[in-house]
Amino acid sequence: NVKIALSKSDFNNYSMEFFEYTRDTILLVNSNGIPEPAVDGNMIKPEQMDFVLVPLLAVDERGNRIGYGKGFYDRFLVNCRDDCKKIGLSFEKPVSLIIPDEFDIPMDFCVTPEKAIYFRKK
């Protein structure tokens, strides 16, 4: 019973909601070029998610990340369960150090074109 959820962004308050994706889901491209569900369907709450795929620009060797700005994912991830796996998606290998700010949520894993990386929590 795997469900796939797609985000719908609110650029007024920099938040996201996720909706179940089915073969009947209609997608529309928003003003930022991101395909989103056209109609609000079955909402998937943060606490229902077992893992979240997070696009990012850079990640360091500890799982700290630089995203695309505005804190959409940090605002969402803070409401996920502690055991929800946060999986970053990056086109680049990890850098040595990113200094996170107080709101940044680190990744548990990262997938790059070359490999998958597990960040051991210290």
Side-chain angles (χ1 to χ4, degrees), residues 16 18 51-58 65-68 72-74 76-77 85-90 105-111:
M16 293 187 306
F18 281 77
F51 68 91
V52 178
L53 299 176
V54 182
L56 47 87
L57 291 173
R65 68 182 180 86
I66 296 175
Y68 286 87
F72 282 93
Y73 277 92
D74 291 314
F76 181 80
L77 293 172
K85 301 301 180 208
K86 294 158 289 298
I87 304 168
L89 302 174
S90 177
I105 308 259
M107 298 292 95
D108 298 304
F109 300 88
C110 184
V111 177

Side-chain angles (χ1 to χ4, degrees), residues 12-59:
N12 293 316
N13 62 12
Y14 305 117
S15 67
M16 293 187 306
E17 293 180 323
F18 281 77
F19 296 91
E20 184 176 359
Y21 176 75
T22 69
R23 68 180 58 179
D24 298 322
T25 302
I26 297 170
L27 301 177
L28 293 177
V29 176
N30 70 18
S31 62
N32 291 297
I34 302 167
E36 296 181 321
V39 178
D40 296 347
N42 181 24
M43 187 177 348
I44 307 297
K45 296 178 182 176
E47 60 271 13
Q48 294 176 285
M49 294 193 173
D50 294 320
F51 68 91
V52 178
L53 299 176
V54 182
L56 47 87
L57 291 173
V59 67

Side-chain angles (χ1 to χ4, degrees), residues 11 46 60 90 92 106:
F11 286 88
D60 73 8
S90 177
E92 305 295 331

Side-chain angles (χ1 to χ4, degrees), residues 54-101:
V54 182
L56 47 87
L57 291 173
V59 67
D60 73 8
E61 296 166 351
R62 293 179 172 238
N64 297 310
R65 68 182 180 86
I66 296 175
Y68 286 87
K70 307 292 186 220
F72 282 93
Y73 277 92
D74 291 314
R75 285 182 185 84
F76 181 80
L77 293 172
V78 74
N79 294 307
C80 291
R81 297 187 323 262
D82 288 342
D83 66 339
C84 175
K85 301 301 180 208
K86 294 158 289 298
I87 304 168
L89 302 174
S90 177
F91 289 111
E92 305 295 331
K93 65 182 182 179
V95 299
S96 58
L97 179 64
I98 293 171
I99 300 178
D101 73 26

